[in-house]
Amino acid sequence: DLNKIAELYGPIEIKKFFYPSKTRTFLSRDDLLGRKLIVPTFKRMAREVDFIIDLDGGVLHNHLPKKFSKENYIIWRLSCINPETYKTQGVKDPKVLAKIIIKQTLKKMIRHRKDIPRGVKIYPLDEWTQREIVQFWHTNKSDMPFCLYPEIKVHEFEPKHKRKKQMVVLGRIAPNKSIHESIQIFHAGTLNDPAYKLVILGGVTPDSHLYIKQLEDLSRELGVEKKVSIIGDPSFKKIKEVLAESEVLIDSQRGVSLTMTAIEAMASG
């Protein structure tokens, strides 16, 4: 969405996109398997550029063109190294649980030591991410300067509406975000003030449809199904609108680095 990019960060010229086939794109949604599948596409791109910023890193550093200088390839690590850590916690739906366990098993089977970046510059997002890189990639801490997110234009989130008795969860709708715990927190925290409602906003992934069913079942079990609404793949306009009219942000996920969600919520008052 180039218009959204321009709205957030200013105009940018993108000369060319490189996409895998539709089948590879569908299968590439998983990080490790996805990186192995997009190697041919990465090679095509690498032959046409002279500098590469790899978001997160892994696998692709082994497939640079022979004459490509490793000094011109850097990794900007934005997410946790071991995101599976908390994924099964509190997941009750057997289909969701089975899917997570199968993915974890496949990752263990296809993971190889050479997939871990070596001999390239790594810039972690923050100190928490740096600790994970040291722990799981066995990299020297002193070799990793931080590189923060681009600025968040907080004025975009300034509240322009009257507040409602409303709480919000903002983040990808996936088990490792612990949204089921957020619903439990909402239920327990509003027993004495039942006028509150909860809006869950987030991107939809291949795991989401089963997880959303679990969230709906939990809401019915707790008797708050009429107070909880789920909005998948919301527009940026919708995110700003909901944050501006809500009073409380609930974030239950654990094992995460710096999250823009909290910053955006604070900017919304």
Side-chain angles (χ1 to χ4, degrees):
D1 187 341
L2 298 182
N3 290 331
K4 183 176 179 181
I5 291 173
E7 181 184 355
L8 288 171
Y9 304 116
I12 183 171
E13 181 183 0
I14 300 178
K15 292 187 175 180
K16 190 173 182 179
F17 290 89
F18 290 84
Y19 285 113
S21 65
K22 288 185 178 180
T23 302
R24 286 178 184 268
T25 300
F26 178 78
L27 295 172
S28 294
R29 293 179 182 181
D30 178 79
D31 51 359
L32 181 61
L33 176 60
R35 283 181 166 261
K36 290 179 181 289
L37 288 172
I38 65 169
V39 164
T41 309
F42 174 79
K43 286 182 174 180
R44 288 202 309 273
M45 183 202 73
R47 287 194 292 265
E48 296 188 27
V49 301
D50 52 21
F51 195 91
I52 296 173
I53 303 172
D54 184 348
L55 300 186
D56 288 347
V59 179
L60 300 179
H61 60 281
N62 293 318
H63 301 282
L64 294 168
K66 287 183 178 180
K67 294 184 179 180
F68 196 96
S69 171
K70 280 199 171 184
E71 292 183 358
N72 291 345
Y73 171 86
I74 66 169
I75 292 171
W76 185 19
R77 185 73 201 190
L78 300 180
S79 60
C80 50
I81 301 293
N82 191 32
E84 308 297 325
T85 307
Y86 299 101
K87 273 195 172 181
T88 58
Q89 195 158 17
V91 176
K92 295 180 180 179
D93 190 303
K95 290 182 180 179
V96 176
L97 196 58
K99 192 171 183 180
I100 292 171
I101 293 172
I102 289 170
K103 284 176 68 176
Q104 289 175 339
T105 304
L106 285 172
K107 280 186 177 182
K108 289 178 182 178
M109 291 171 63
I110 65 175
R111 185 179 286 117
H112 193 278
R113 289 181 66 87
K114 69 178 182 180
D115 294 333
I116 298 174
R118 290 287 181 268
V120 297
K121 196 71 176 177
I122 302 174
Y123 294 84
L125 173 66
D126 55 18
E127 188 174 348
W128 186 92
T129 308
Q130 184 190 67
R131 286 199 301 269
E132 276 220 333
I133 293 172
V134 171
Q135 179 182 355
F136 293 105
W137 284 0
H138 308 293
T139 304
N140 191 332
K141 178 179 177 180
S142 62
D143 293 337
M144 291 187 289
F146 297 130
C147 184
L148 300 178
Y149 280 125
E151 64 175 339
I152 295 174
K153 296 184 177 180
V154 294
H155 66 273
E156 294 281 355
F157 295 90
E158 290 176 359
K160 299 178 178 63
H161 307 283
K162 186 177 179 180
R163 299 283 177 181
K164 298 179 180 179
K165 288 212 163 194
Q166 179 172 286
M167 302 184 185
V168 61
V169 173
L170 177 58
R172 193 172 68 254
I173 303 176
N176 64 312
K177 299 298 182 181
S178 298
I179 299 175
H180 50 281
E181 292 186 355
S182 296
I183 293 176
Q184 292 169 333
I185 291 169
F186 168 76
H187 168 253
T190 58
L191 289 173
N192 295 326
D193 200 339
Y196 273 94
K197 293 186 177 181
L198 177 66
V199 179
I200 299 169
L201 296 162
V204 175
T205 72
D207 295 329
S208 294
H209 68 287
L210 290 173
Y211 189 51
I212 288 173
K213 183 180 181 302
Q214 178 184 327
L215 299 179
E216 291 171 342
D217 290 343
L218 175 62
S219 298
R220 279 191 293 272
E221 181 184 319
L222 296 174
V224 294
E225 70 274 16
K226 293 183 179 179
K227 301 179 184 179
V228 177
S229 57
I230 300 174
I231 303 174
D233 291 332
S235 65
F236 186 55
K237 180 180 179 181
K238 188 65 177 179
I239 293 172
K240 291 191 290 184
E241 176 187 311
V242 173
L243 285 178
E245 65 188 20
S246 298
E247 290 186 355
V248 178
L249 170 77
I250 305 178
D251 189 350
S252 304
Q253 60 181 325
R254 297 184 291 284
V256 293
S257 58
L258 174 66
T259 168
M260 289 193 289
T261 300
I263 298 171
E264 291 167 349
M266 287 189 289
S268 300

